[in-house]
Structures are given as C-alpha cells and as structure tokens.
Amino acid sequence: MKRSKMMELGVGLFMLAGIVGLIFLGLRVSGLNLPGTGGGETFQLKANFANVGSLKPRARVTLAGVNVGRVVAIELDTEWYDAQVTLELDAELEGQLPRDTTASILTSGLLGEQYIGLSVGGDPDTLGDGDTIRDTQSALVLEELIQQFVSNMVSE
Amino acid sequence: MIGWVQQLGRHGCDLLEALGRASIFLGLSAVGVPSREGWHLWLRQMHFVGVLSLAIVLVSGLFIGMVLALQGYTILVDFGAEQALGQMVALSLLRELAPVVGALLFAGRAGSALTAEIGLMKATEQLTSMEMIGIDPLRRVVAPRLWAGFVSLPLLTVGFSVVGIWGGYLVGVEWLGVFDGSYWGNMQSSVDFIADIGNGMVKSLVFALVVTWIAVFQGYDLIPTAEGISRATTRTVVYSSLAVLGLDFVLTALMFGELG
Amino acid sequence: MNDSPFVVVEGLHFSHGETDIFRGVDLSIPRGKITAIMGPSGTGKTTLLKLIGGQLVPDAGRILIDGQNVHELSRRALFRLRRRMGMLFQSGALFSDLDVYENVAFPLRVHTDLPDAMVRDVVLMKLQAVGLRGARHLMPSELSGGMARRVALARAMALDPELILYDEPFVGQDPISMGVLVQLIKRINEALGLTAVVVSHDIKETLSIADYVYVIADGQVMAHGTPENLDVDLDARVRQFVHGEPDGPVPFHYPAVDFFTDILSAGASR
Ligand SMILES: Nc1ncnc2c1ncn2[C@@H]1O[C@H](COP(=O)(O)OP(=O)(O)OP(=O)(O)O)[C@@H](O)[C@H]1O
Ligand SMILES: [Mg+2]
C-alpha cells in the first residue's frame, strides 16, 4: 500500500505541475492579467491614424519606451475614412496624460513589429476614459518614403 | 492493370474495415470514464504513461528551447532584431514544437509500451479470461489507459513549453546577453492566451486522443504472437507519428491559416 | 431442482478459416452434474468451451445456457451471463500484474461488495483448497506451471459460479495434487450443486468423477453415455481412445499425406 501512496503523490504532483505550468504560460508568457491581480485595471483611449501600416491588435503601447498598455482594436472610421485604433492603458495613467499627447506608430528594429509610442505634451487638461488622442503620426510606409525621396530628387 | 485496381480496392476495404473496428472499439472503451472504483486503475496508468514520461519530455523540451534560442539569435541578430528572441522561442514552442514533438516522444515512450502491454495480455489470454469472469476488458484494461493518455499528453506538453521557454531564456538572456526585459516583454506582447496557448493545447488534446487510441487499438487488435506484438508496437509508433504530423498540418491550417 | 439441462448445444458448426472444427455437434450438459468432454488433441475441445463462453461465434447451430441463446445476447447481457460461469483456461491466464491473492480476489472485488475481511476469508479458503495458501504473496511469474493452474482453478471457483468449465485441470500436477484436485472438483460439485464441464485427457481420473461423458472426434460426437456404459460400448474408436491404444480407427496424426510419400517426395521444400 505504501507504493500506491507514492504513486498517488507522484500523479498528484504531476497534475499540479501541469496546472502551475499552464498558469505560468498564461501570466508570464502571454502576459494575461487575471482579474484581481492588480494589473487588471485599465482604461481606454482612441486615436485616429491616416494609415496604420501593419499595426496589429495586441501590439504594445509604450511611453518613453516603457510598456503601458496594448492595442485592443483597429477599425475603419467610415466618417473620415481613416483608421480608429482603440488603446487599453494602465489605469494609473488615467487622468495623468495631457490632452495634447501624441501617438505615433513606430517600428522596432528594421523589420520588427509595429507598436504605438506615446509622447506627452504640456496641456494642463488631461485625457480620461474614452477620450480621443487628436495628435497622431501615421506609420511610415516604405513605398511612400521612396516616392517622396524620388520626387524630391526630380524637382531639384 | 485490373489486378492492380482490384488490389487497391481490397486495401481500401481493409482500411475501412479497420477504421470501423477501431471506431467501435473507441466508442466502447471511452464510455469507461474513470469512476470511483476505476480510480486506482486510472491512477496507475497516469503514473505509467504520464509521470514516467516526464523526464524524457522535459529534457527534450529544455534542449529544444536552448537550440531554438541559439539558432534564432544568429538569424535575428543580423536584422538587429534579437530582442524578438523571446517571441520567436515562445511562439514556435507553443504553437508547434511542444504539441508535435511532445506527441512524437509520447508515442515512442508511452504508446509503444501500451501496445506491447495490452498485446501481451491478449497473447497470454488475460483479456479472454477477464471476459469470462464477466468483466469487459475494454472498460477495465483499455479505458483507464485511454483516459490516462488523453489527460497526460496535454500536461506533458505544458511542461515541454515551460521548460523550453526557460531553456531559451538560459541561452538567450544568460549566455548571449539579450536584454531580460525584452525577452519577456516581447513575448508577452505577442503571445495571446487563447490564440497561441489555447490552440496549442487543442492540438495537444487531439494528438493525445489519436496517439493513445492508436496505441491501445494496435495492442488490442494484434495477432497474439511474439512477432505480432513486435509488429504492432512498430505500427503504433509509425502510425502515430504520421497521424500527428498530418493532423498538425490540418489543424495549423484551420487555426492559423487566415492569420497571415 | 430443475431437471432441464443447463447447457444445450444444437447442430453446432464451426470452422477456423478453412478448417472445419465442428460439423454438427449436439450436446446437453445436465444441471448439477459433472460432464466430461474427451477427445484426441486438436479436435476442438478448447474451442467448444470458448463457444459456450461466447468468445467465439458458431457458423451455424446454437448454444443455450439456462435457456438463453448465448450468441443472441447483447454485449451487456453476455457479460452478465458470464458472471454465472467460471472458466479455467488451459494456459491458466493469471493476471500478471496482480499477485496470487489479488488474482483470486479479482472476481470477488469486481462483482460483489463484500468487505475486505470477507474477501480475505473467501480467498484464503479457496487457496487452502488448492494447497497454495502459503503462496498468496507470489506473483504469477514466480509460480510453476502446475501452481499457476491451481491458482487459476481457485480463481475460477471464487464466486462459486453455477457453471464451471475446466480446460484440462490436471495437466502438470503431480499424483498427490492430482488426487486432491479430482476430489476438489467432485466435492464442490456435490456440496454446491454446481454444473461442471471437465475437458481432460486423464481418462481414469476423469471417469472416476464424471456423471456423463462425451467423446468428440472428427468434428462430431463419437460416443456419449455414463462412464459405466461407455466402457462397455463396443465402438472401436471409443474403446481405442478410452484404453489409450495407439493403433485403431482414431488417427494419432494430424491429417497429412502418407509418411513415406512425404519423406521421399524429392524437390518439396518443406
Ligand atoms: N486461432 C486459431 N486459428 C486457426 N485455427 C485454430 C485456432 N485455434 C485453434 N485452431 C485449430 O482448431 C483445432 C482445435 O483446437 P483446440 O484448441 O480447440 O483443440 P483441443 O481439442 O483443445 O486440443 P488439446 O487437447 O490439445 O488442447 C486445432 O486443430 C487447431 O489447429
Ligand atoms: Mg485444448
């Protein structure tokens, strides 16, 4: 009977390890925030871009290079025919970001993925939940850059 | 020519018949869900197919994670994108390598053993004598093994991923000097719990069912001789591996096909 | 007590692939009696027991156990019927992952809710009957052939089933344990009124306990009767078998071409 106890213990530990492993994958690897673990509190901002390039949902949002949130949705705004991006930011920034904060779409490394970088302005008014960032800078599209460069060359 | 077509037809019929038998077999065994009395049988098999496979799966996971990081680094560093190492290691492991390599190792370690064990029980008339005692061996012998395999492989796959990601961390961060924050940060921003971890687990569950099913069916259906057992054991490993790789393509196409 | 036969076999036909094993066998096995089935090696006695147990399906004919047609039962009903039977396999077929004690306890554990203490009493009683109470902690791989068979016998009797099929219970037993087993089979049959079918080549021992004898050869019932009138039966085939004479109408050899033709045929590979 002693062997069977050891076996039960072994199987129990095995299953426990599997579940702990899954939790590790969830929290540490996919950055899932369980409700109630503190990091769960967020608020949303919107930003309209003329062109989002290859920005994808779940892309990072950084402020001074620090991760402060992520993109939750990218939709076409049929009123202006531009892209409306919904951002989810850490709740501690709610009411802290000045109204003239800029959102720009940046690329990490030469071929890396695109993310949104925020840079703060000096307006005393601040952005709250659901507000829209007015000042945006679209993604750099390589073809457009080259076209610009070529037409500059020609006109000179 | 006609002979050839006829032969093809015969093989087709044989295959269909075997599939039919295997399905009935699965149906009859799967109803033997571990009950209160069957609990210790299931536990024993969990120990046998799960706990005892842990060592080989974890060691393989560690090495694969380390190799991924090493290979990935040499490629990414050319583009100045070595901070994406974490993302690369985690996504390859979670989506593909952990479910697939885990299932292949499982087929070799546990699947072949299941076939041989059930086959030997058949050859020594233990299954028949169980039937004569009035106990259905499908429920008593096959069902606990089937369920244990079905539960064990996903757990082993989780272990494989965790250890692999840690192995990637050891090589990438500790050895090659990728920044610790970007290893985890990049990983977290690109790995989605449902789309990547969830789909990987779904794959693993499918593979678990298929591999264990093949293993127990081959054991139950074999010709009860020494040669029959050795052939069935080989068949388990070959069929499982082919099924896992083929299904992996299908599942990947279904899950990630439209993601671009 | 009910006088109808416990097992009835009617017009049984069965073949393994191309080889016909049975060509119209009719048997009836009386309730509460010991019936012996004898016949040359390879005539299909084991096959007959497997057919009775529902392991094999006949090509034609039917087998009734206590009025139920074995091969028309649903899977569930067949398993329920089998709980009323015990079978001693020619090979013993002990569960190799359980020790002797657990092997004998197996049918009790799966079919009854007896408390452990009661299971223990029954198991030790059965093991005592076959003289292996002291071997209860051994694993099947640690037993000799004769011991394994005695454990299998104890297991087959564990539930005191209404019908026990013994496939060669005396093989590999020394004269002492043989005598004990013969008496054991006789005793449990008398004490509990069980129906028993004994397949055996040990003519003297079997005839000493059997109430009725069937001799099967060549896919048919060659002779049947009580041991007394079987002995005086004038059928040469039966006499040859019962007296163990090498020459006679029953061939010792598996069907084959003439020995000299076979030996002398040049060019044949095997
Ligand atoms: N699985 C099988 N496939 C094909 N033929 C078989 C199979 N099992 C048994 N046989 C054949 O059936 C015949 C009867 O076998 P069976 O085991 O019933 O004989 P038996 O009367 O019990 O012999 P013995 O007294 O030696 O135990 C044999 O001739 C054997 O060749
Ligand atoms: Mg036999």
Side-chain angles (χ1 to χ4, degrees):
Chain A
M1 282 301 104
K2 189 149 187 203
R3 241 191 61 152
S4 144
K5 280 270 172 345
M6 287 294 291
M7 199 144 75
E8 280 173 23
L9 192 69
V11 173
L13 282 178
F14 172 58
M15 298 186 65
L16 196 69
I19 293 164
V20 170
L22 200 61
I23 293 173
F24 168 83
L25 288 182
L27 294 183
R28 189 72 213 248
V29 174
S30 77
L32 201 68
N33 284 320
L34 292 184
T37 51
E41 312 288 304
T42 56
F43 75 107
Q44 294 199 336
L45 290 181
K46 294 194 188 314
N48 282 41
F49 293 90
N51 189 334
V52 288
S54 62
L55 187 75
K56 298 223 179 65
R58 292 194 283 119
R60 293 182 285 150
V61 177
T62 65
L63 179 62
V66 181
N67 263 354
V68 292
R70 57 174 65 207
V71 172
V72 286
I74 301 174
E75 285 147 351
L76 187 68
D77 185 340
T78 42
E79 198 179 333
W80 298 96
Y81 289 102
D82 60 2
Q84 185 178 64
V85 176
T86 310
L87 313 176
E88 201 170 65
L89 302 182
D90 293 348
E92 53 180 332
L93 291 178
E94 187 169 0
Q96 300 291 319
L97 294 173
R99 190 151 283 280
D100 59 352
T101 295
T102 321
S104 20
I105 297 182
L106 306 171
T107 308
S108 61
L110 188 56
L111 297 168
E113 58 170 9
Q114 293 191 302
Y115 64 99
I116 290 185
L118 300 178
S119 43
V120 293
D123 198 314
D125 283 353
T126 57
L127 292 164
D129 191 26
D131 285 352
T132 304
I133 300 176
R134 294 276 159 235
D135 197 358
T136 62
Q137 209 167 46
S138 285
L140 287 180
V141 178
L142 206 57
E143 291 86 341
E144 284 174 7
L145 270 185
I146 294 171
Q147 215 167 25
Q148 230 167 31
F149 180 68
V150 172
S151 55
N152 280 351
M153 292 261 290
V154 171
S155 62
E156 262 169 29
Chain B
M1 183 63 196
I2 290 189
W4 186 78
V5 173
Q6 185 193 347
Q7 207 173 6
L8 190 72
R10 200 178 59 224
H11 282 305
C13 289
D14 285 354
L15 186 72
L16 277 183
E17 198 223 307
L19 271 179
R21 252 181 310 141
S23 306
I24 294 171
F25 168 85
L26 181 67
L28 287 174
S29 341
V31 293
V33 189
S35 57
R36 219 165 52 75
E37 7 357 325
W39 174 252
H40 68 278
L41 296 171
W42 176 79
L43 196 80
R44 217 183 139 97
Q45 294 309 320
M46 279 297 287
H47 175 76
F48 184 64
V49 300
V51 178
L52 296 185
S53 307
L54 203 56
I56 182 175
V57 168
L58 291 188
V59 171
S60 312
L62 182 67
F63 281 120
I64 287 191
M66 284 164 48
V67 169
L68 266 181
L70 205 53
Q71 290 280 14
Y73 182 81
T74 55
I75 295 171
L76 291 175
V77 81
D78 287 346
F79 302 103
E82 69 270 19
Q83 72 275 16
L85 187 68
Q87 165 186 358
M88 199 206 82
V89 170
L91 286 183
S92 351
L93 279 170
L94 292 170
R95 289 183 180 179
E96 287 299 329
L97 289 170
V100 172
V101 179
L104 295 181
L105 290 170
F106 186 75
R109 165 66 183 75
S112 57
L114 286 179
T115 305
E117 194 191 12
I118 296 180
L120 202 62
M121 290 176 88
K122 180 175 183 179
T124 52
E125 291 195 300
Q126 293 183 45
L127 298 183
T128 326
S129 74
M130 199 173 276
E131 281 182 4
M132 287 306 300
I133 291 172
I135 289 294
D136 189 345
L138 290 183
R139 287 174 166 233
R140 173 89 191 182
V141 174
V142 174
R145 288 169 172 77
L146 197 65
W147 281 100
F150 187 64
V151 175
S152 292
L153 181 51
L155 293 175
L156 291 170
T157 302
V158 169
F160 190 105
S161 303
V162 170
V163 170
I165 289 170
W166 181 61
Y169 174 84
L170 285 185
V171 169
V173 177
E174 302 277 336
W175 182 25
L176 298 171
V178 173
F179 177 53
D180 179 78
S182 50
Y183 184 82
W184 295 113
N186 237 306
M187 194 184 286
Q188 288 177 2
S189 65
S190 57
V191 174
D192 185 71
F193 189 73
I194 302 296
D196 298 315
I197 300 178
N199 276 339
M201 292 318 291
V202 170
K203 275 189 180 180
S204 177
L205 280 171
V206 173
F207 296 161
L209 179 67
V210 170
V211 171
T212 327
W213 180 20
I214 291 178
V216 291
F217 180 69
Q218 289 294 341
Y220 194 78
D221 202 48
L222 52 70
I223 299 162
T225 59
E227 195 196 7
I229 293 176
S230 88
R231 284 188 180 202
T233 313
T234 312
R235 272 203 304 271
T236 293
V237 176
V238 172
Y239 291 177
S240 306
S241 309
L242 289 178
V244 165
L245 296 172
L247 276 174
D248 182 49
F249 177 73
V250 174
L251 289 175
T252 307
L254 289 178
M255 291 168 174
F256 302 106
E258 73 274 31
L259 267 172
Chain C
M1 197 160 103
N2 189 338
D3 260 357
S4 65
F6 197 70
V7 180
V8 178
V9 177
E10 289 172 358
L12 183 71
H13 285 258
F14 182 78
S15 55
H16 264 308
E18 302 289 298
T19 13
D20 283 345
I21 310 287
F22 296 118
R23 285 169 290 161
V25 168
D26 297 287
L27 297 174
S28 83
I29 292 175
R31 198 179 288 267
K33 299 275 168 54
I34 298 178
T35 305
I37 294 181
M38 298 196 284
S41 178
T43 37
K45 302 179 299 295
T46 302
T47 310
L48 179 65
L49 295 190
K50 285 189 176 169
L51 281 161
I52 293 177
Q55 296 281 338
L56 299 172
V57 181
D59 299 337
R62 53 185 201 150
I63 296 177
L64 303 176
I65 297 184
D66 206 11
Q68 291 174 284
N69 186 335
V70 177
H71 300 98
E72 277 175 2
L73 294 175
S74 69
R75 195 177 165 86
R76 183 181 289 266
L78 179 62
F79 277 103
R80 212 170 316 118
L81 176 66
R82 282 175 180 160
R83 292 181 196 176
R84 300 165 58 193
M85 308 185 207
M87 178 157 174
L88 172 68
F89 280 80
Q90 202 165 359
S91 62
L94 296 177
F95 302 131
S96 49
D97 54 341
L98 302 177
D99 66 10
V100 166
Y101 179 92
E102 285 300 325
N103 258 288
V104 180
F106 184 85
L108 299 165
R109 293 205 197 283
V110 294
H111 289 320
T112 66
D113 288 327
L114 293 180
D116 274 351
M118 201 105 91
V119 170
R120 184 184 140 91
D121 291 349
V122 176
V123 171
L124 294 188
M125 219 164 70
K126 300 293 176 190
L127 282 175
Q128 173 75 8
V130 297
L132 288 175
R133 191 164 46 83
R136 73 185 106 150
H137 296 303
L138 297 183
M139 294 304 283
S141 56
E142 298 166 329
L143 300 175
S144 75
M147 287 160 81
R149 188 173 295 271
R150 280 189 276 159
V151 175
L153 182 62
R155 185 180 66 181
M157 302 184 314
L159 279 176
D160 293 324
E162 295 167 56
L163 169 68
I164 305 195
L165 310 169
Y166 301 96
D167 198 351
E168 318 219 354
F170 309 128
V171 166
Q173 303 299 334
D174 60 62
I176 304 169
S177 44
M178 174 116 86
V180 173
L181 292 191
V182 171
Q183 285 318 306
L184 180 64
I185 290 174
K186 182 79 186 158
R187 213 174 51 235
I188 60 170
N189 166 256
E190 279 173 351
L192 301 168
L194 308 179
T195 308
V197 178
V198 183
V199 166
S200 177
H201 294 302
D202 296 283
I203 312 262
K204 193 162 66 67
E205 285 75 14
T206 313
L207 292 186
S208 73
I209 55 167
D211 296 303
Y212 206 81
V213 181
Y214 281 93
V215 179
I216 298 183
D218 234 0
Q220 273 155 343
V221 176
M222 283 290 155
H224 58 101
T226 57
E228 299 77 41
N229 58 30
L230 194 76
D231 231 2
V232 299
D233 196 326
L234 291 179
D235 190 316
R237 295 170 299 190
V238 177
R239 202 175 47 231
Q240 181 206 348
F241 186 77
V242 171
H243 296 298
E245 295 157 0
D247 288 314
V250 180
F252 163 67
H253 296 285
Y254 194 88
V257 295
D258 179 67
F259 184 58
F260 284 107
T261 333
D262 211 2
I263 287 275
L264 296 177
S265 66
S269 51
R270 285 206 309 151

